Amino acid sequence: MNIKACITVTLKNGVLDPQGQAIRQALNSLDFPGIGSVRQGKVFDITLEDTSEPDAEKLLQDMCEKLLANTVIEDYTVRIIR
Amino acid sequence: MNIKACITVTLKNGVLDPQGQAIRQALNSLDFPGIGSVRQGKVFDITLEDTSEPDAEKLLQDMCEKLLANTVIEDYTVRIIR
């Protein structure tokens, strides 16, 4: 079975996000009102072939730990789509 | 009311994604099996202050069109969290 998954990697709370701050300033200078905070993260859409849902979930967690996220400063969530 | 929203920006289908291809090769070289495709996108967590849900949705769409997404090659989705 082919599995589609979506992995979201975001900075942990408290970790400085200069990219997000730059975006907030840019939005302010475009006159968007009332912007509290902006944090930027990454999203990965991954297709896995010939696997089952529990296997895929384990594999994707493993990918995050080893490559996709820096777990010292980033959190990740894995969501299986189908 | 304060509103939290999550904006996801991904490349349109058919647009070449060299970053995603590099990640796929890296995952292959780490011996992860059965990887079909990898596409990378961006996610923005935005907090808006003193607004209502319909206003926030309109504002966020506007932000995507004007700054956050390049609508020639990227799609975006806006999701209000609360």
Side-chain angles (χ1 to χ4, degrees), chain B residues 43-63:
Chain B
V43 61
F44 304 96
D45 291 315
I46 298 184
T47 315
L48 292 173
E49 288 163 356
D50 301 326
T51 182
S52 65
E53 214 168 296
D55 285 355
E57 184 132 0
K58 206 176 155 292
L59 205 63
L60 291 161
Q61 298 261 356
D62 221 23
M63 287 179 194

Side-chain angles (χ1 to χ4, degrees), chain B residues 5 26 77:
Chain B
T77 56

Side-chain angles (χ1 to χ4, degrees), chain A residues 26-44:
Chain A
L27 288 170
N28 277 334
S29 70
L30 286 171
D31 286 330
F32 285 106
I35 294 154
S37 76
V38 180
R39 311 264 303 164
Q40 182 173 1
K42 287 171 280 187
V43 60
F44 304 97

Side-chain angles (χ1 to χ4, degrees), chain A residues 13-79:
Chain A
N13 280 338
V15 177
L16 201 67
D17 180 6
Q19 209 171 356
Q21 286 175 4
I23 294 165
R24 190 163 72 88
Q25 281 167 23
L27 288 170
N28 277 334
S29 70
L30 286 171
D31 286 330
F32 285 106
I35 294 154
S37 76
V38 180
R39 311 264 303 164
Q40 182 173 1
K42 287 171 280 187
V43 60
F44 304 97
D45 290 316
I46 298 184
T47 315
L48 292 173
E49 286 163 357
D50 301 326
T51 182
S52 65
E53 214 167 297
D55 285 354
E57 184 131 1
K58 203 173 157 294
L59 205 64
L60 290 162
Q61 297 261 359
D62 222 24
M63 286 178 195
C64 288
E65 295 284 341
K66 284 197 185 147
L67 182 76
L68 301 178
N70 175 356
T71 52
V72 178
I73 55 166
E74 290 172 329
D75 287 325
Y76 62 84
T77 56
V78 173
R79 191 162 52 89

Side-chain angles (χ1 to χ4, degrees), chain B residues 6-79:
Chain B
C6 176
I7 292 173
T8 310
V9 177
T10 49
L11 284 171
K12 289 188 181 182
N13 281 337
V15 177
L16 202 67
D17 180 7
Q19 209 170 357
Q21 286 174 6
I23 295 165
R24 190 163 73 87
Q25 282 167 21
L27 289 171
N28 278 333
S29 69
L30 287 171
D31 285 331
F32 286 105
I35 294 153
S37 76
V38 180
R39 312 267 296 166
Q40 183 173 359
K42 287 170 282 186
V43 61
F44 304 96
D45 291 315
I46 298 184
T47 315
L48 292 173
E49 288 163 356
D50 301 326
T51 182
S52 65
E53 214 168 296
D55 285 355
E57 184 132 0
K58 206 176 155 292
L59 205 63
L60 291 161
Q61 298 261 356
D62 221 23
M63 287 179 194
C64 289
E65 295 284 339
K66 285 199 184 144
L67 182 76
L68 302 178
N70 175 356
T71 52
V72 178
I73 56 165
E74 290 171 329
D75 286 325
Y76 62 85
T77 56
V78 173
R79 191 161 52 87

